[in-house]
Amino acid sequence: MNKNRLEAFSDGVLAIIITIMILEIKVPEGENFTDLLSLFPKFISYILSFVYVGIYWNNHHHMLQSVTKVNGKILWANLHLLFWLSLIPVSTGWMGEHNFAKATITLYGVILFFAAIAFWILQNVIISSEGENSILAKAVGKNFKGSISNLLYLGAILISFFYEIVAASIYVIVAMMWLIPDTRIEKIINSKE
């Protein structure tokens, strides 16, 4: 199978995820700027989730640049990732609707954690398919950033039962860690050209 089809499908799903999230933010009833205040929690949760989906889209794109062939294992691992990402709009809406309540923050963290695990699985399935000397294997290396992110997610999930604002802050910190583009794959691809 050509990887372009996999990329196009994944891009479409991610675009739909973002569309669903923005459609959850309804137009305020009133006509004054103060009427926008009720949307503030929804808008903040949307921004955070938009950033997360953007990070996954960006890293997914770079990862797939390294793929030379697509097999069934890669397809299923990719669908697994898309499944967890498709749950982001539900948790985003719930979190924004209920002003970042404990249960909503916990669910958000669980979804982020399992999306990160799914991305790790996809990454490893690709490395297994492409080989230990593949572009992706060389670029990923020991993957400290991914491991640290997963530990932070787990910590935030546990903390969310007691201090939801601290847990939400940890989700923001992880997003900020990943906002800096990861150029490892690009550097290896460019060095071979």
Side-chain angles (χ1 to χ4, degrees):
M1 174 189 243
N2 187 318
K3 71 178 180 179
N4 294 338
R5 190 163 178 217
L6 177 66
E7 288 175 308
F9 176 75
S10 300
D11 287 349
V13 170
L14 293 174
I16 291 168
I17 289 169
I18 289 173
T19 303
I20 291 169
M21 287 188 314
I22 194 62
L23 290 176
E24 287 295 315
I25 301 177
K26 305 296 182 210
V27 175
E29 295 288 325
E31 59 189 37
N32 298 314
F33 285 117
T34 55
D35 298 319
L36 292 171
L37 291 176
S38 65
L39 295 180
F40 188 72
K42 291 179 183 180
F43 189 65
I44 294 300
S45 66
Y46 170 75
I47 290 171
L48 181 61
S49 294
F50 185 91
V51 167
Y52 265 108
V53 173
I55 288 166
Y56 274 103
W57 175 78
N58 192 341
N59 289 322
H60 186 267
H61 167 74
H62 285 109
M63 184 168 49
L64 290 183
Q65 279 184 311
S66 70
V67 174
T68 59
K69 59 189 176 296
V70 175
N71 59 32
K73 288 180 182 178
I74 292 173
L75 291 174
W76 282 109
N78 192 68
L79 278 174
H80 180 232
L81 171 63
L82 294 176
F83 167 77
W84 287 106
L85 294 177
S86 72
L87 294 176
I88 289 177
V90 174
S91 60
T92 300
W94 196 36
M95 197 166 56
E97 185 69 32
H98 297 286
N99 297 317
F100 298 88
K102 285 183 173 98
T104 68
I105 292 287
T106 303
L107 178 64
Y108 193 73
V110 168
I111 291 170
L112 292 177
F113 175 72
F114 281 110
I117 295 297
F119 190 87
W120 176 82
I121 290 170
L122 175 59
Q123 184 175 285
N124 285 299
V125 167
I126 291 171
I127 290 171
S128 175
S129 175
E130 298 282 323
E132 290 301 319
N133 291 320
S134 66
I135 292 169
L136 186 59
K138 291 176 185 175
V140 169
K142 298 215 184 281
N143 196 19
F144 290 117
K145 199 170 169 182
S147 299
I148 290 168
S149 297
N150 289 340
L151 289 174
L152 287 171
Y153 287 139
L154 283 175
I157 291 166
L158 294 173
I159 290 169
S160 70
F161 290 103
F162 309 101
Y163 307 104
E164 60 271 18
I165 193 70
V166 174
S169 299
I170 293 171
Y171 303 147
V172 171
I173 289 167
V174 174
M176 288 172 48
M177 284 173 36
W178 287 98
L179 268 178
I180 301 165
D182 192 347
T183 58
R184 295 177 293 180
I185 295 171
E186 286 179 351
K187 285 180 183 174
I188 292 173
I189 289 173
N190 292 337
S191 70
K192 293 186 181 261
E193 292 178 351

